[in-house]
Amino acid sequence: MTDKLDKAPDPADTPPGGAIPPEAIRAIPVRHFGRWISAVVVIGLVVALAIAFSQGNVRWATVPEKLFDPTILRGVGNTIWISVASMALGLVLGVLFAVMRLSKNPVTSTIAWFYIWLFRGTPVYVQLLIWFNLALIFPVLNLGFYKDEMTQVMTPFLAALLGLGLNEGAYMAEIVRAGIQSVDEGQTEASHALGMTRMQTMRRVVLPQAMRVIVPPSGNEFINMLKTSSLVVAVQYFDLLRAAQDIASTSFAVMEMFFVASIWYLALTSVFSVGQYYLERRYARGALRSLPPTPLQKIKAKLSSFSDRKAVA
């Protein structure tokens, strides 16, 4: 019996013109065995980790019991407050020192460079301790119109605010500077031609356009601030971590309270991440022709398409 491959083509199957149609190509997908193996390994490690924690000496019932404890809720409120206040201070200082850094005045630009170099180059934990122990250098604060003991002035809140805010200002200055430099110089020249001053140009023309570049990293900095605020326990400020430690010291549920604090930090960062997403969408309106759909819009589109297919069927 002659093989099909050796059989001559039937003249009746030959199209007009004598051209023989090419044989249909059957695509065979490549099998990625490595992906399946790596997925199995990762799932196995996650299951092993979950089993290890489930069999550990952890009183898991304590976690939901203490999750909404009044002391924990007070710590959560203080964490949000110190994070927002420090970020606001850092944003104001960032805009100020970014403008100073871009100034043609060598004195102001040098001072701005030194501020950024100093506060970005030293750990925030050390800065917090320096502010809290400032009474060792200046026992009395004497401003002429105001005089008091430094220990009375430098409260835990003020030490935390200065330590976090001044450090954040150095990072925000570089973010704002990058955003300002991303605006085309023709915008500045056009505003000057219209008679605007340098300050009016910065406030009305440059900064609104630079926000598209400034907002995304600023949102990341705030989310990072929420976690960095846990360092204020070094200056005895009562935050979420301090509240968890206080409860742990009396209930001896040390790991359980650390899990409670971690859950709250995850919840706070998740909520503010959603806010950052929609804020970025707002300032991206002038740069994109059409904004990508939000997760909620994607879900609605999926549900509507599913209902349409069901109605047709």
Side-chain angles (χ1 to χ4, degrees):
M1 183 175 178
T2 307
D3 196 341
K4 278 177 116 181
L5 296 176
D6 298 333
K7 185 179 179 180
D10 190 353
D13 297 335
T14 304
I20 301 175
E23 185 181 356
I25 299 176
R26 188 178 64 176
I28 302 176
V30 179
R31 300 185 184 278
H32 301 278
F33 295 103
R35 296 180 182 177
W36 292 101
I37 295 174
S38 60
V40 171
V41 171
V42 170
I43 292 174
L45 292 176
V46 171
V47 171
L49 185 63
I51 293 174
F53 270 94
S54 64
Q55 295 179 351
N57 187 17
V58 179
R59 293 176 291 174
W60 292 107
T62 307
V63 176
E65 178 185 341
K66 297 294 185 180
L67 197 60
F68 296 99
D69 188 275
T71 304
I72 292 294
L73 295 179
R74 179 186 165 207
V76 171
N78 288 347
T79 293
I80 297 175
W81 166 233
I82 192 63
S83 299
V84 172
S86 299
M87 192 65 196
L89 177 61
L91 183 60
V92 172
L93 293 176
V95 174
L96 175 63
F97 281 98
V99 174
M100 290 174 60
R101 179 83 185 274
L102 296 173
S103 174
K104 296 181 181 180
N105 189 327
V107 177
T108 57
S109 62
T110 303
I111 292 175
W113 176 87
F114 179 78
Y115 166 80
I116 296 170
W117 169 78
L118 177 64
F119 285 94
R120 285 205 311 170
T122 53
V124 62
Y125 187 78
V126 177
Q127 295 175 30
L128 286 167
L129 293 177
I130 290 176
W131 287 110
F132 189 63
N133 295 282
L134 199 62
L136 298 176
I137 304 176
F138 304 103
V140 178
L141 178 63
N142 190 357
L143 300 177
F145 61 90
Y146 178 81
K147 183 178 181 181
D148 199 356
E149 298 287 336
M150 183 61 74
T151 54
Q152 299 296 323
V153 175
M154 193 58 63
T155 60
F157 173 78
L158 184 58
L161 178 64
L162 293 176
L164 296 177
L166 292 176
N167 181 267
E168 186 61 33
Y171 288 93
M172 286 303 303
E174 291 296 275
I175 293 173
V176 174
R177 182 175 66 88
I180 292 174
Q181 290 181 331
S182 68
V183 179
D184 188 81
E185 292 184 0
Q187 301 287 328
T188 303
E189 295 173 357
S191 60
H192 288 169
L194 293 174
M196 291 187 183
T197 63
R198 179 178 175 84
M199 187 60 64
Q200 289 175 334
T201 301
M202 182 65 63
R203 181 168 54 89
R204 297 181 180 180
V205 179
V206 177
L207 282 179
Q209 297 183 64
M211 290 300 291
R212 181 174 55 87
V213 179
I214 295 173
V215 166
S218 299
N220 293 334
E221 286 294 319
F222 179 71
I223 292 172
N224 185 60
M225 175 69 73
L226 283 169
K227 298 176 293 182
T228 307
S229 64
S230 61
L231 295 176
V232 298
V233 294
V235 297
Q236 300 180 10
Y237 181 73
F238 189 84
D239 72 324
L240 174 57
L241 182 58
R242 178 66 180 274
Q245 289 178 335
D246 288 351
I247 297 177
S249 63
T250 56
S251 63
F252 301 103
V254 178
M255 291 302 298
E256 292 83 353
M257 295 313 303
F258 286 155
F259 289 147
V260 169
S262 299
I263 291 172
W264 271 109
Y265 280 120
L266 284 171
L268 292 176
T269 53
S270 300
V271 169
F272 284 104
S273 295
V274 174
Q276 177 192 357
Y277 172 78
Y278 284 98
L279 190 62
E280 289 180 11
R281 280 178 57 87
R282 175 177 176 80
Y283 284 101
R285 289 181 301 177
L288 301 176
R289 292 184 178 179
S290 60
L291 295 175
T294 64
L296 185 59
Q297 291 173 345
K298 291 180 181 179
I299 294 174
K300 289 182 178 179
K302 290 288 185 181
L303 293 176
S304 62
S305 62
F306 176 76
S307 60
D308 292 341
R309 287 198 301 265
K310 189 175 180 181
V312 170

